[in-house]
Amino acid sequence: MKSIKPNEWTCRPFQILDKEWALLVAGAERPNPMTVSWGSFGTLWNKPTATIYVRPSRYTFNLLNEHPQFTLNFLPESFRSALNVCGTKSGRDIDKWEATKLSPQESKTISVPYIEQSRLALECRVMTHIDLDPKRFYEEQILTSIYPDQSFHRVYFGEVCLIHENE
Ligand SMILES: Cc1cc2nc3c(=O)[nH]c(=O)nc-3n(C[C@H](O)[C@H](O)[C@H](O)COP(=O)(O)O)c2cc1C
């Protein structure tokens, strides 16, 4: 893996999240990987940002609020079953590192690890967060289809501090 600056990075943003999925790692003392497929990449306050959406019902939600840093990890397709485990099981109940045989790797700019098996990993610091407001949804149907449990996502804006990419 080589480390690159965010402005040297090229990606297909819609493909990389929606189709390939990612593992969001949060928590410094007891880090936990969680599968995500909603998010975006852009610019805020003139800084490169990765934006993620996490429901309050997730164990990851508590970890992010306690320690506002995360890594966003993209793995080769052969790890799809590990992503399925991390997207269906909670870190409250199991040790997902043990269950998937993935390994945490020390980050360079933050105290949350990235995943050693990643082909691409972003180190991020949370700059701010907002909670999605159902009163502002453009279609009411979103409320019933996506939020029958009223667990509205919290949106975390992460400054991308460093990127690791396979050569
Ligand atoms: C493909 C896929 C994408 C997901 N994307 C998200 C997401 O963007 N935000 C979210 O809050 N949960 C998402 N989930 C659900 C969480 O990964 C799942 O509830 C997980 O078990 C929560 O883990 P935790 O309790 O250890 O945090 C996704 C699940 C899958 C399978």
Side-chain angles (χ1 to χ4, degrees), residues 115-154:
I115 298 176
E116 191 188 322
Q117 290 85 352
S118 301
R119 57 174 185 78
L120 170 72
L122 279 59
E123 297 184 9
C124 303
R125 286 169 52 207
V126 175
M127 306 157 79
T128 187
H129 68 250
I130 55 168
D131 293 320
L132 286 187
D133 181 353
K135 291 197 293 293
R136 299 183 182 169
F137 290 172
Y138 77 146
E139 286 172 357
E140 210 177 317
Q141 169 263 335
I142 300 287
L143 210 84
T144 44
S145 61
I146 314 271
Y147 299 104
D149 56 356
Q150 305 268 309
S151 187
F152 302 112
H153 289 92
R154 177 163 285 184

Side-chain angles (χ1 to χ4, degrees), residues 21 32 34-38 53-55 58-60 86-91 96:
W21 311 347
N32 174 61
M34 171 186 121
T35 303
V36 292
S37 62
W38 291 354
Y53 301 82
V54 180
R55 291 187 197 253
R58 314 297 186 220
Y59 176 57
T60 299
C86 296
T88 51
K89 306 283 183 212
S90 177
K96 295 195 216 174

